[in-house]
Amino acid sequence: MRCWKFRLAVFMLVGGLHASPSTADLVVESWLIGTTVSDSVNSHSIGHDSVTNPFQATHTAQRGLSTASVNYDFARTGDEASFGVSVNHHLEQLDGFTSSSGQIYIRPSVDSIITLEGAW
């Protein structure tokens, strides 16, 4: 399993968000998520950039015997959201790398305090 590289713009691998006051909804402005298997010449990448709620999907990239697979479970309602991601990378007989990454930009619908929790 590889490390996820991410920007805290806000991106949560596993966790939740909550905005206060409760009259503020969380708005997901954009996201870009994906996974890649690459060698020095070619790569196979798969990703998703359309914001969908809820979003439950699996992306798998493969090159030879090497694979990178990602499961997503994203959902939001009103002022709460959860973003679950699990990755499984297998690098075999490949002079290259596997990678999974993502960025999710979230804002409250009104000026608010946002509480973030997460783990990876």
Side-chain angles (χ1 to χ4, degrees), residues 81-101:
S82 65
F83 299 91
V85 179
S86 61
V87 297
N88 185 1
H89 289 216
H90 177 76
L91 189 60
E92 183 177 337
Q93 296 179 346
L94 181 74
D95 183 16
F97 66 90
T98 60
S99 172
S100 293
S101 61

Side-chain angles (χ1 to χ4, degrees), residues 1-114:
M1 191 179 303
R2 299 258 319 181
C3 252
W4 276 68
K5 296 179 183 176
F6 63 95
R7 294 180 210 160
L8 190 58
V10 169
F11 181 74
M12 304 302 297
L13 286 179
V14 178
L17 301 173
H18 180 76
S20 297
S22 61
T23 58
D25 290 338
L26 292 172
V27 178
V28 176
E29 291 285 328
S30 64
W31 70 39
L32 179 58
I33 52 179
T35 192
T36 300
V37 175
S38 181
D39 61 22
S40 59
V41 179
N42 295 301
S43 69
H44 179 215
S45 298
I46 188 165
H48 192 84
D49 63 1
S50 298
V51 176
T52 307
N53 184 38
F55 180 69
Q56 296 175 333
T58 299
H59 291 157
T60 301
Q62 183 169 358
R63 184 115 182 95
L65 299 174
S66 298
T67 60
S69 182
V70 185
N71 294 308
Y72 305 99
D73 185 9
F74 301 166
R76 66 186 185 281
T77 304
D79 65 348
E80 293 187 2
S82 65
F83 299 91
V85 179
S86 61
V87 297
N88 185 1
H89 289 216
H90 177 76
L91 189 60
E92 183 177 337
Q93 296 179 346
L94 181 74
D95 183 16
F97 66 90
T98 60
S99 172
S100 293
S101 61
Q103 179 177 343
I104 300 174
Y105 179 69
I106 300 168
R107 68 170 177 82
S109 60
V110 298
D111 289 341
S112 304
I113 296 172
I114 297 179

